[in-house]
Amino acid sequence: MFNDVVIVESAISAFNNAALFGAAFLWWAVLTVPLFVVVYLCRDAIVQKLGWNQNNILQRVSVWTAGLTLLWAVLFGGNYGVLRDGLSVLPGMMAAIVFLTSLFVSSYLRKMPLPRMNWWKWMAVIAGVALVGMSDMHAWWGPILQIGAMLLGFVLGRLAKSEMRPVGGIVLIVLSVAIAMLMQPEFFRFGQLGNLTVGHVLGMLMLGIFAMATIALLNVNARGKIKRGVFVKLKWLCRVMCVLGAALFVITEALPVFLGTLAALFAMFAVSVWHKKQVDLVAGYKMFALVLVCFGIITVMPAIAAMGILYWASLPNVKFWSEFKALL
């Protein structure tokens, strides 16, 4: 009865059973609701204090989101000794996230001259590079991969002729992080022992819905060319595919199912936008604000969620819910 294995397995079982009712990120979101309310009520003072306005708030929010995601990947991704040796591709995925975030931030800083270096600035740079390297030490090549990805992103961003698109780039980064978290939830402490609760799965689905709606509204042109009868049949086909995909994802928690569900959601939203004669692009940017809020909640980064609230409040009023229902 007091065998070590039995004791450990009993503790794990109790821990996992408790986790069925305790998605940590969800309770963090509940606890930070007062913060979100304060941010919304004091939005004008906060935006003014930060020096943001209608012309630069999208760029500022996007750059800060990418920068904080880079720090999150380096500091929170961490070395927990849970990588499946010889099977995991998560190190490559983390390097891709580091590359994308550093590329995004660097592309917006490319016009800024490099600072004149002295000894303490060199020490800060060396410490930062070492920190990035220490974020992946499961193998000897881990630090080389992480540091190389960051430096490559920084150099390419400096050499780029234009900045990355703020909405498209951030949606790509957000979905990359979501994919990584679904690949190995235990690595990010996103799921207990790698198992996701209903709260985790629904949070991911909400993030995917808002991300696909953002892409469809801002990139698909409203043509008004699909006949009503054909549109109804296509819409119901897409709805059935989305419901089946979501249900299968809840059951299996599988990444391929999640990607298939995203494809079905985008098809449904794209058909809806293509059928309409015109769409309000403000609704697309509102969707992007909700992407930031969901992403900040899932990754337990209230700062990103707060920036999503500020960006939502800065946009003109629009019949958002009617626009959103028209997509479904």
Side-chain angles (χ1 to χ4, degrees):
M1 185 176 68
F2 296 103
N3 182 276
D4 292 344
V5 175
V6 174
I7 294 174
V8 172
E9 288 183 349
S10 300
I12 289 175
S13 177
F15 184 67
N16 212 29
N17 289 336
L20 292 176
F21 303 96
F25 81 94
L26 183 59
W27 296 116
W28 275 103
V30 173
L31 291 174
T32 50
V33 166
L35 171 64
F36 297 152
V37 173
V38 170
V39 169
Y40 182 78
L41 295 178
C42 303
R43 57 190 181 276
D44 294 334
I46 295 174
V47 169
Q48 183 179 5
K49 187 70 174 180
L50 294 173
W52 296 355
N53 53 51
Q54 291 288 340
N55 297 323
N56 65 13
I57 187 169
L58 177 58
Q59 175 182 325
R60 300 291 177 83
V61 166
S62 300
V63 172
W64 274 104
T65 299
L68 290 175
T69 304
L70 174 60
L71 289 176
W72 178 86
V74 171
L75 299 177
F76 190 77
N79 289 280
Y80 296 116
V82 295
L83 286 177
R84 301 158 195 164
D85 296 337
L87 297 175
S88 177
V89 295
L90 188 60
M93 192 66 196
M94 292 299 295
I97 294 172
V98 170
F99 169 75
L100 287 174
T101 50
S102 59
L103 174 65
F104 188 97
V105 174
S106 181
S107 69
Y108 281 90
L109 302 178
R110 61 190 178 85
K111 294 182 179 179
M112 295 180 59
L114 294 175
R116 300 181 63 179
M117 303 298 292
N118 52 31
W119 70 270
W120 67 267
K121 290 181 180 179
W122 278 114
M123 292 295 292
V125 170
I126 293 172
V129 172
L131 183 63
V132 172
M134 287 188 293
S135 66
D136 185 1
M137 298 185 66
H138 80 286
W140 65 267
W141 48 264
I144 299 175
L145 180 64
Q146 291 288 82
I147 294 174
M150 185 191 67
L151 294 180
L152 181 61
F154 178 79
V155 172
L156 291 181
R158 296 287 300 185
L159 297 177
K161 295 182 179 179
S162 62
E163 298 87 358
M164 290 183 68
R165 295 174 61 183
V167 175
I170 292 301
V171 170
L172 177 61
I173 291 171
V174 165
L175 292 180
S176 298
V177 173
I179 290 171
M181 295 173 77
L182 289 175
M183 285 169 58
Q184 284 187 242
E186 72 275 16
F187 184 77
F188 301 97
R189 294 300 187 264
F190 182 62
Q192 307 300 342
L193 302 178
N195 296 321
L196 303 182
T197 67
V198 175
H200 293 97
V201 173
L202 293 181
M204 282 294 183
L205 284 175
M206 289 181 60
L207 178 65
I209 289 171
F210 293 138
M212 293 301 102
T214 300
I215 297 173
L217 285 170
L218 298 181
N219 293 277
V220 178
N221 294 325
R223 300 292 187 182
K225 291 185 177 181
I226 304 179
K227 294 183 179 180
R228 178 67 182 176
V230 177
F231 170 72
V232 172
K233 293 181 178 64
L234 285 175
K235 197 66 178 291
W236 274 109
L237 177 62
C238 291
R239 286 170 178 165
V240 171
M241 292 175 61
C242 291
V243 172
L244 290 177
L248 190 60
F249 177 56
V250 171
I251 295 172
T252 64
E253 307 169 7
L255 176 58
V257 177
F258 178 71
L259 296 177
T261 305
L262 291 186
L265 286 168
F266 176 75
M268 181 176 68
F269 295 151
V271 167
S272 300
V273 174
W274 202 24
H275 173 70
K276 298 179 70 172
K277 293 183 178 179
Q278 62 178 5
V279 294
D280 195 337
L281 294 180
V282 176
Y285 291 106
K286 292 268 189 181
M287 290 287 182
F288 178 64
L290 292 180
V291 169
L292 297 179
V293 173
C294 286
F295 182 65
I297 290 174
I298 288 174
T299 55
V300 196
M301 286 195 286
I304 292 181
M307 288 190 293
I309 295 173
L310 291 177
Y311 184 56
W312 170 286
S314 70
L315 293 169
N317 292 327
V318 65
K319 296 180 179 179
F320 176 78
W321 293 115
S322 61
E323 291 283 343
F324 184 53
K325 287 189 293 184
L327 296 176
L328 299 175

